[in-house]
Amino acid sequence: MCPKNKGAVFITGASTGIGRETALFFDKAGYRVFAGVRNAQAGESLLAEAAFQLTPIIIDITKPREIENAVHTVSQKLCPYEGITGIINNAGIVVGGPLEFMKIEDFRYQVEVNLIGQLAVTQSFLPMIRKAKGRVLFVGSGAGWFALPFSGAYAASKFALRGMADALRRELDQWQLHVVLIELGTVMTPIWDKSFSDTKQRVAEMGKEEQSLYDERGAAMEKLMRSGWKNSVLAEDVAKMILMAFEKKCPKARYQFGKDARMAVLSVFVPDCLKDWLIRNILKGKIPSALMGW
Ligand SMILES: NC(=O)c1ccc[n+]([C@@H]2O[C@H](COP(=O)([O-])OP(=O)(O)OC[C@H]3O[C@@H](n4cnc5c(N)ncnc54)[C@H](OP(=O)(O)O)[C@@H]3O)[C@@H](O)[C@H]2O)c1
């Protein structure tokens, strides 16, 4: 017999942070949640907190075979007439560091996870989404509007994600399949520690001379990012907002959450030379970072 629920939802990157909170929140809200994680341990930890019908699904979104297996497992667990009410493309990483010395393979992996993997998962789940007249959500960022120094790879992935979400929305609207981009400012999640420690490692692998070129600005940027944490929002609140966007009959194309995300969007109206001057002077400590919403 098919269990009663509000519909099935597939979420990527559910082991920690926003994905974890969203998976648990949708579970409590009565959805049948398929939560993408990269190992069994992360799945067990989610199950220990789940209230309703959560199923961990092992998936690395850069691995076609794992995507295929995930689609197969989810479709086997659904009832024959059932589709997927929606997918939430949330998995993501931050590859930080100066672009001049970033290894091309690192840059490529950033785009692989934050952009190409998102499309690969979406394509594979679309037949099931179509069946339920479901929707596709992507988790974007203020960095998709405003690129900070040393976040070039991440910003490139989120700018591109915004473009891809726009195009997909305009392709799928003929069937009333909604595509929504959630654009976040700073959220307190493990992504920050992971990113700072990975970036430190990457910088340590650069030569001494290369390091010294970016030492000062890199340290100022890290300080600025850490100062942004005081305005950060909680992953639980992001999860509530994602549910709201997920359940809206006619959702907007984009939802911003966090003052810094809204400022990033508005920054398109500010001339680039002024934005460059602001960043330069904020990093020198001459202008308060609050001016940019951090
Ligand atoms: N936190 C913020 O301030 C912020 C701001 C704007 C946008 N965002 C976006 O929000 C999303 C979630 O980030 P978060 O802050 O919640 O970070 P997080 O706690 O680090 O969560 C990232 C999730 O993505 C998963 N992941 C990483 N690489 C993957 C891969 N190749 N395949 C499948 N899953 C993978 C991680 O799994 P493992 O645990 O196995 O590594 C983890 O579950 C990201 O798209 C991020 O860009 C975050």
Side-chain angles (χ1 to χ4, degrees):
M1 208 177 78
C2 293
K4 264 193 149 188
N5 56 60
K6 284 172 84 174
V9 54
F10 180 70
I11 304 175
T12 61
S15 67
T16 57
I18 296 157
R20 183 185 177 87
E21 293 303 329
T22 304
L24 294 171
F25 197 64
F26 272 67
D27 173 60
K28 282 195 190 85
Y31 285 90
R32 180 154 195 211
V33 175
F34 294 98
V37 290
R38 286 201 290 178
N39 55 62
Q41 211 182 346
E44 279 156 25
S45 142
L46 262 177
L47 273 178
E49 276 189 52
F52 187 57
Q53 294 174 36
L54 186 144
T55 310
I57 302 283
I58 304 285
I59 180 172
D60 181 320
I61 63 166
T62 65
K63 298 188 173 147
R65 177 61 63 83
E66 291 195 15
I67 298 178
E68 213 178 286
N69 289 344
V71 170
H72 181 73
T73 312
V74 172
S75 63
Q76 292 290 302
K77 289 188 182 291
L78 292 176
C79 291
Y81 57 84
E82 229 184 336
I84 286 267
T85 313
I87 61 167
I88 301 170
N89 286 294
N90 161 78
I93 55 168
V94 178
V95 176
L99 285 169
E100 182 177 0
F101 300 116
M102 180 169 289
K103 287 186 188 146
I104 291 303
E105 72 220 48
D106 290 346
F107 188 94
R108 193 169 277 136
Y109 188 63
Q110 171 74 88
V111 176
E112 192 67 45
V113 177
N114 286 17
L115 182 71
I116 297 168
Q118 317 284 320
L119 179 62
V121 170
T122 304
Q123 286 179 339
S124 303
F125 276 94
L126 261 170
M128 276 193 268
I129 294 172
R130 219 178 261 282
K131 208 168 175 182
K133 237 180 186 221
R135 54 188 59 182
V136 178
L137 267 71
F138 292 104
V139 179
S141 166
W145 291 86
F146 191 97
L148 286 168
F150 311 115
S151 300
Y154 181 68
S157 72
K158 295 294 185 182
F159 266 73
L161 182 70
R162 183 158 61 89
M164 190 174 82
D166 275 348
L168 186 68
R169 190 181 65 251
R170 291 167 188 151
E171 286 170 12
L172 297 183
D173 69 354
Q174 55 185 315
W175 301 286
Q176 288 84 47
L177 301 176
H178 297 291
V179 176
V180 179
L181 180 64
I182 306 288
E183 298 180 308
L184 303 174
T186 309
V187 189
M188 265 336 278
T189 70
I191 207 169
W192 291 100
D193 281 342
K194 290 183 211 170
S195 152
F196 284 135
S197 75
D198 288 357
T199 304
K200 280 208 166 69
Q201 177 66 32
R202 225 168 282 118
V203 169
E205 285 166 14
M206 286 163 30
K208 285 271 171 281
E209 211 171 300
E210 286 87 352
Q211 279 179 33
S212 66
L213 286 174
Y214 288 103
D215 257 1
E216 210 175 302
R217 204 166 254 211
M221 194 61 225
E222 182 174 338
K223 196 169 149 211
L224 175 64
M225 287 185 134
R226 288 188 189 279
S227 78
W229 290 354
K230 64 179 181 301
N231 299 320
S232 64
V233 294
L234 298 174
E236 298 96 279
D237 293 332
V238 176
K240 284 181 201 153
M241 200 272 256
I242 292 178
L243 182 67
M244 180 277 295
F246 194 85
E247 292 188 336
K248 271 255 166 338
K249 193 162 182 277
C250 292
K252 293 196 289 184
R254 286 185 278 274
Y255 290 87
Q256 282 91 36
F257 199 54
K259 188 168 140 211
D260 43 349
R262 286 191 290 275
M263 294 287 274
V265 175
L266 288 175
S267 76
V268 291
F269 298 109
V270 180
D272 283 315
C273 58
L274 177 55
K275 284 187 274 198
D276 294 352
W277 179 86
L278 278 168
I279 291 294
R280 213 164 32 241
N281 285 288
I282 287 173
L283 290 179
K284 283 183 187 159
K286 291 185 177 167
I287 292 179
S289 57
L291 233 140
M292 303 293 288
W294 299 315

